[in-house]
Amino acid sequence: MAPHDPCPSRGARTLPLPRAAARLLSVACALTCAVSCTTPRRTTEPEFEDWRVPPVVGEAGRIFGLSGSFASRNGTAEREWFSVRATLEEFLTDRQAIGAFVLGQYVNRTEFLEAERQAWIGGHYRLHHHFDERASIYVGPAIGVARYEDARARATAFAWGVNAGFRYWLTDRTAFTVEPTWLRSEFEDKDGGPTDDLLVLWGLAFSL
C-alpha cells in the first residue's frame, strides 16, 4: 500500500497564477454587470431614500426662487401694490425643506399723494407633496421681522404667517411657481396696530 500523502492537494491540477487571476476577474465583471443591470439606478442624493413617488425634477439640494405680484384698486381711495420676493431653500428630505426669504412691498396711495414701503425678512419651513415627477404643492409656517415706512412714520415688528405654493418644473432646473402667502405683522398700537397681508406671488424657481 502506498504511503499516505499528508498533502493530497499537492498532486492536484492547479492553474498558473496569471490564468487564475484572469478567470477571477472575468467572474467579478460578470457579477458586477448582473447587479448593475437588475438594480434601479439612483437618481437622487443618498439621503433621499424615502421617496413615495418618483424623484421630482430639480427638487433636491438648494432652490432659489424669485416671484412678484401687482394689484390695483380704483375708486375714492385708489391704490397700487407692487410686491417682490426672493427665497432660498434647502431640502432636508424628499418632502421637507427650510429656507429664508426677503419680501418687499410698495404701495402707491394716490389719494394722499404718498407711498408706503414695507419689507419682511425671515425664515420658513415647507412640507411638500409630489403629484408626479414635475408637479408639487407645499405649505408651511414662516416667521421674521417686518419693517414699515412712509413719509410720516417708521416702525419694526415681529411677523409670522403661512406660505404655500404650487411648483411645476419646466426643465430640469427651472420651474414655474404660484405662491399664496399670508403674513401678520404685530405692530404696536401707536404704530397703527397689527396688520395682515395676503399676497399671491407668481414667479420662477431655479435648482442650484
Side-chain angles (χ1 to χ4, degrees):
M1 179 181 293
H4 175 69
D5 186 354
C7 300
S9 61
R10 183 178 298 174
R13 180 175 178 269
T14 60
L15 292 173
L17 184 59
R19 293 177 58 191
R23 287 197 176 184
L24 288 175
L25 183 61
S26 299
V27 172
C29 291
L31 290 175
T32 302
C33 180
V35 171
S36 62
C37 291
T38 57
T39 303
R41 183 174 63 91
R42 181 183 296 274
T43 58
T44 60
E45 297 296 328
E47 64 267 25
F48 296 96
E49 295 179 349
D50 58 340
W51 296 100
R52 289 172 174 78
V53 296
V56 175
V57 174
E59 294 201 355
R62 294 185 180 90
I63 294 179
F64 172 75
L66 187 62
S67 56
S69 67
F70 167 78
S72 64
R73 183 177 67 185
N74 296 323
T76 56
E78 183 176 352
R79 294 188 179 187
E80 294 178 332
W81 291 265
F82 303 89
S83 302
V84 177
R85 179 170 67 178
T87 61
L88 180 64
E89 66 181 23
E90 175 87 17
F91 272 83
L92 304 177
T93 69
D94 63 322
R95 300 185 64 196
Q96 302 181 65
I98 58 174
F101 69 90
V102 176
L103 171 61
Q105 185 180 65
Y106 178 86
V107 182
N108 184 23
R109 303 172 60 182
T110 58
E111 74 273 23
F112 295 117
L113 299 178
E114 63 180 30
E116 301 174 356
R117 292 170 295 277
Q118 190 162 340
W120 296 264
I121 183 171
H124 63 246
Y125 166 84
R126 289 174 173 175
L127 182 64
H128 291 67
H129 172 73
H130 308 306
F131 292 105
D132 54 36
E133 66 176 5
R134 291 189 178 273
S136 65
I137 59 174
Y138 45 88
V139 65
I143 60 172
V145 176
R147 174 72 173 176
Y148 173 84
E149 181 178 325
D150 63 15
R152 295 168 292 179
R154 296 179 180 179
T156 303
F158 171 74
W160 59 278
V162 177
N163 71 104
F166 168 78
R167 182 182 292 141
Y168 184 84
W169 290 94
L170 305 173
T171 69
D172 290 349
R173 292 191 174 275
T174 304
F176 168 75
T177 61
V178 181
E179 298 179 329
T181 300
W182 172 74
L183 290 171
R184 181 175 178 85
S185 304
E186 302 288 355
F187 290 106
E188 298 181 5
D189 292 339
K190 65 182 181 64
D191 297 320
T195 61
D196 297 282
D197 291 271
L198 178 60
L199 307 172
V200 179
L201 305 168
W202 306 72
L204 295 174
F206 306 93
S207 178
L208 304 179

